[in-house]
Amino acid sequence: MTVSEREARQVAEAARERHWRKPSFAKELFLGRFRPDLVHPHPRPAAEDVRRGEEFLARLREFCETSVDGLLVEREGRIPDEVVKGLKSIGAFGMKIDPEYGGLGLSQLHYNRALALAASAAPAIGALLSAHQSIGVPQPLKLFGTEEQRRTFLPRCAGGDISAFLLTEPDVGSDPARLATTATPDGDAYVLDGVKLWTTNGVVADLLVVMARVPESEGHPGGITAFVVEAGSEGITVENRNAFMGLRGIENGVTRFHRVRVPAANRIGPEGAGLRIALTTLNTGRLSLPAMCAGAGKWCLKIAREWSAAREQWGKPIAHHEAVGTKISFIAATTFALEAILDLSSLMADEDRNDIRIEAALAKLYASEMAYRMADELVQIRGGRGFETADSLAARGERGVPAEQMLRDLRINRIFEGSTEIMHLLIAREAVDAHLSVAGDLIDPDKTLADKGKAAVRAGGFYARWLPRLLAGPGQLPGAYREFHPPGHPDLAVHLRYVERASRRLARATFQGMSRWQAKLEAKQGFLGRIVDIGAELFAMSAACVRAEMLRSDGEHGRAAYQLADAFCRQARIRAEELFGRLWTNTDDTDRKVVRGVLGGVYTWLEDGVLDPSTPGPWIAETAPGPSTREDVRRPIG
């Protein structure tokens, strides 16, 4: 399917949530309005949520300690069936499902903690549980399903029927406008045809959420639509179980649909609402990856601490050498910040009084990047042992530390559920939403002169009020946020004053970019990415300070928390300042020229002298609809 860039953008824009019915801390941050009142005092979990969540975490911990062998999963590339059945028996597949439908009804906070715990035992288990509940059948039905659909499918999911989410296709990733799988109306059913790629859980799934395009016809508005599909339906073939550099135990495959009949009653929401359902589901579903990233940071810190104390070089433990100590400080401070971001976002989701679409996206973006950096630093701290596999270490009598596996397993999080590059664009779109709402018609080539005139009036009023507020604020007052500088503790108020000033500076830079490039701004992806990354650092700093103050007020590790928050904020400020500088001083224009040269064959001589070990074949597999010619490798787990 050929789709123009404009058409693709229109499809993505139509799927967005266009209204902001609740306040958003991150949205305000990008607009230059630092609103600590939206996150401080730190939200608290309900007592019943804590009781229910901690009881399950205790069961899950015992199960993982006694029944899960993470190195076996890595070695065999598969989670043993007995482990999956054990997870079913303790209710792990119903963590996010309301007790009314047979689930545990865990809060977002404790669900994320459970994912972090399970993934620390075996990362593939975290992926299994997350794909099932964060984006699989339970969450879309909770948000958009009918009561009949919930009563039909949710008890099955809670009982252990595994679900998967099928959107990606061999030639369709983050550009769903080109979706080729079709769902043709046929009486009281739809007939599905197409091929889906990278279907996490798809090899073992019992139920699928499938995104397919309904052709427009009489009585059918058509568009991309979501369906619940029985994985064992006639015409469904799992043609391949994919293998990856990391997460070797995940059951991820290629699924073909050939004339698969799906009852109309299994359609989720109206026709054409599929992408909106997917994006809304991801508002909180994206928090599952930060949960496992925060857990990975905790493990990296533990190993770095123990190893760096035991390993000596030049007469002292390597932790006392500044070159290594700096890395340990980074891991400790960043782990504190990732947990702060995760818990704050999770509790805001539980309270449901804030719109957290930007916060969840920032959490996913930031955690996936920082966790990978922490794992890379751990491998460096471990030296040659960091590059050696756990099995090899154990075989020669040393502790089998899977540092290299952690690095491989975490790499996919920078791609899963929206790559870093796509997340930059998605968040940037939300960050400039207020501007486009009042001034978007001015740069829209399809708008009439009358429309542009009205937009000019709206924009004039908005910017007359908004711009003056970016010139001064509490961040310039030495006594602002003084509650974050209690006696005997590091001064976190100074960091929050920086966040306030930087927030206004960021908003001014965004406005400057819009004024300079106007409609061409959407093509300035380097600029937009840096804008988002600055916002992510400011959000992380805010979360770290608020969490430290909460822990201090609770009398739980308060002084240590303040030290970690202070260290993190100092590190984050350096990164933010570098990004601010690169907004206007960078190599973006030069890079574009080099790219044109590369694609034009100007530098092919530079590729001489090496061999390409790739196997022959097309860059993108053939996806023509039709019956499968391959063996079905679907492997349901009873």
Side-chain angles (χ1 to χ4, degrees):
M1 179 181 294
T2 301
V3 177
S4 70
E5 181 178 1
R6 184 169 182 78
E7 290 171 325
R9 293 185 186 280
Q10 288 174 340
V11 169
E13 185 67 18
R16 284 184 59 250
E17 289 186 74
R18 300 185 182 183
H19 303 291
W20 296 85
R21 300 179 180 86
K22 299 174 184 177
S24 165
F25 174 80
K27 175 176 178 284
E28 294 292 300
L29 196 66
F30 280 107
L31 284 171
R33 301 190 288 242
F34 178 50
R35 293 280 308 278
D37 59 294
L38 294 178
V39 294
H40 175 68
H42 197 288
R44 305 285 183 150
E48 177 58 22
D49 288 345
V50 173
R51 183 197 64 78
R52 185 185 299 135
E54 293 300 323
E55 285 181 357
F56 176 73
L57 286 176
R59 294 201 304 273
L60 180 63
R61 175 178 288 276
E62 180 181 7
F63 175 79
C64 289
E65 288 177 340
T66 59
S67 303
V68 176
D69 183 345
L71 295 181
L72 176 67
V73 174
E74 169 72 6
R75 194 178 306 123
E76 298 188 352
R78 177 164 289 166
I79 303 171
D81 288 0
E82 307 79 59
V83 171
V84 177
K85 293 175 182 177
L87 291 167
K88 293 181 180 183
S89 70
I90 64 172
F93 286 86
M95 288 187 284
K96 285 273 286 178
I97 299 174
D98 193 276
E100 178 183 359
Y101 305 107
L104 300 180
L106 297 191
S107 65
Q108 186 71 41
L109 177 72
H110 281 90
Y111 169 67
N112 286 338
R113 289 180 177 177
L115 289 180
L117 176 61
S120 69
I125 292 179
L128 168 73
L129 296 176
S130 172
H132 167 72
Q133 290 169 96
S134 297
I135 57 176
V137 170
Q139 193 68 6
L141 288 191
K142 175 183 177 180
L143 297 175
F144 297 98
T146 65
E147 184 58 28
E148 181 180 358
Q149 288 172 335
R150 296 187 188 108
R151 295 199 178 280
T152 299
F153 296 113
L154 291 186
R156 290 175 55 184
C157 292
D161 273 12
I162 299 172
S163 70
F165 174 75
L166 279 61
L167 170 62
T168 305
E169 298 176 2
D171 200 25
V172 178
S174 297
D175 180 11
R178 301 169 64 229
L179 196 80
T181 298
T182 59
T184 306
D186 183 18
D188 61 353
Y190 291 82
V191 179
L192 269 61
D193 284 279
V195 178
K196 295 294 185 179
L197 176 63
W198 295 327
T199 60
T200 299
N201 288 1
V203 178
V204 296
D206 303 287
L207 292 169
L208 313 171
V209 175
V210 180
M211 295 292 166
R213 185 184 300 278
V214 177
E216 185 177 348
S217 62
E218 184 178 354
H220 292 277
I224 297 174
T225 306
F227 299 89
V228 178
V229 181
E230 298 280 355
S233 299
E234 183 178 355
I236 297 181
T237 305
V238 178
E239 295 188 332
N240 194 63
R241 182 179 187 265
N242 303 324
F244 304 97
M245 67 180 284
L247 290 182
R248 292 180 174 171
I250 61 172
E251 300 287 351
N252 179 295
V254 177
T255 303
R256 177 178 291 271
F257 297 85
H258 177 59
R259 298 177 183 173
V260 179
R261 291 187 64 83
V262 179
N266 286 21
R267 188 188 70 218
I268 308 174
E271 290 181 3
L275 285 184
R276 182 170 60 85
I277 289 171
L279 290 176
T280 305
T281 298
L282 283 172
N283 281 347
T284 55
R286 281 198 176 101
L287 292 176
S288 62
L289 289 185
M292 291 180 278
C293 287
K298 289 174 177 285
W299 182 81
C300 287
L301 179 60
K302 179 179 185 294
I303 298 301
R305 173 180 57 82
E306 294 176 352
W307 165 250
S308 299
R311 173 64 164 166
E312 291 190 0
Q313 290 280 274
W314 293 295
K316 57 184 177 181
I318 60 172
H320 295 305
H321 291 285
E322 191 172 274
V324 174
T326 299
K327 299 180 188 299
I328 296 173
S329 174
F330 166 73
I331 293 173
T334 305
T335 297
F336 179 82
L338 292 194
E339 187 168 47
I341 293 170
L342 176 69
D343 283 6
L344 179 62
S345 300
S346 299
L347 285 165
M348 287 196 293
D350 287 332
E351 288 187 341
D352 199 27
R353 61 184 173 91
N354 286 3
D355 188 320
I356 68 159
R357 74 182 84 162
I358 299 182
E359 286 84 348
L362 285 172
K364 188 275 177 189
L365 167 69
Y366 195 75
S368 62
E369 290 290 329
M370 299 304 274
Y372 187 75
R373 281 186 58 185
M374 286 191 286
D376 189 54
E377 294 288 30
L378 177 63
V379 168
Q380 193 70 17
I381 291 170
R382 288 274 291 160
R385 291 172 173 84
F387 193 67
E388 191 173 0
T389 68
D391 280 346
S392 177
L393 288 163
R396 59 183 184 79
E398 291 192 1
R399 183 174 176 178
V401 178
E404 59 84 30
Q405 179 193 336
M406 177 64 73
L407 188 66
R408 289 187 286 101
D409 288 342
L410 286 172
R411 183 61 183 84
I412 188 58
N413 291 334
R414 298 170 63 197
I415 300 171
F416 261 168
E417 296 180 15
S419 69
T420 291
E421 293 72 25
I422 290 298
M423 296 305 298
H424 278 152
L425 299 182
L426 290 177
I427 297 168
R429 174 60 186 86
E430 299 297 347
V432 301
D433 184 56
H435 300 283
L436 294 180
S437 296
V438 298
D441 288 354
L442 287 172
I443 58 177
D444 189 336
D446 293 336
K447 296 299 180 181
T448 66
L449 286 176
D451 290 333
K452 292 179 183 293
K454 294 176 183 178
V457 173
R458 288 196 307 270
F462 173 79
Y463 289 118
R465 296 187 302 273
W466 180 68
L467 286 171
R469 297 174 183 173
L470 301 182
L471 300 177
Q476 294 165 289
L477 302 176
Y481 316 118
R482 65 181 61 192
E483 66 268 31
F484 288 89
H485 190 192
H489 291 70
D491 185 3
L492 298 186
V494 68
H495 300 309
L496 292 180
R497 290 196 292 271
Y498 172 84
V499 171
E500 196 278 335
R501 296 193 306 274
S503 173
R504 288 186 282 111
R505 183 181 172 190
L506 181 63
R508 292 195 299 268
T510 303
F511 178 73
Q512 184 177 349
M514 292 183 65
S515 302
R516 178 176 176 179
W517 293 303
Q518 299 184 34
K520 296 180 180 179
L521 178 63
E522 65 184 19
K524 302 296 182 180
Q525 296 180 2
F527 176 84
L528 292 173
R530 295 175 197 114
I531 289 286
V532 170
D533 285 339
I534 294 169
E537 295 288 2
L538 300 183
F539 176 46
M541 290 174 65
S542 304
C545 292
V546 170
R547 181 175 182 82
E549 174 56 20
M550 177 192 69
L551 293 175
R552 186 200 67 82
S553 64
D554 288 350
E556 184 181 0
H557 312 299
R559 196 178 304 276
Y562 258 68
Q563 290 172 346
L564 287 170
D566 178 54
F568 173 77
C569 288
R570 291 175 184 273
Q571 296 168 11
R573 287 174 68 165
I574 294 172
R575 292 191 294 266
E577 285 301 310
E578 179 185 354
L579 288 164
F580 270 120
R582 289 174 56 208
L583 285 177
W584 313 112
T585 304
N586 52 63
T587 62
D588 292 350
D589 291 340
T590 300
D591 294 341
R592 278 190 289 272
K593 294 176 183 177
V594 171
V595 169
R596 286 195 293 269
V598 170
L599 296 183
V602 175
Y603 311 124
T604 53
W605 52 268
L606 193 58
E607 301 166 9
D608 292 344
V610 297
L611 299 175
D612 182 357
S614 307
T615 62
W619 286 106
I620 299 172
E622 175 60 46
T623 59
S628 178
T629 59
R630 304 185 63 175
E631 177 187 356
D632 187 1
V633 297
R634 178 173 177 260
R635 188 178 63 84
I637 301 173

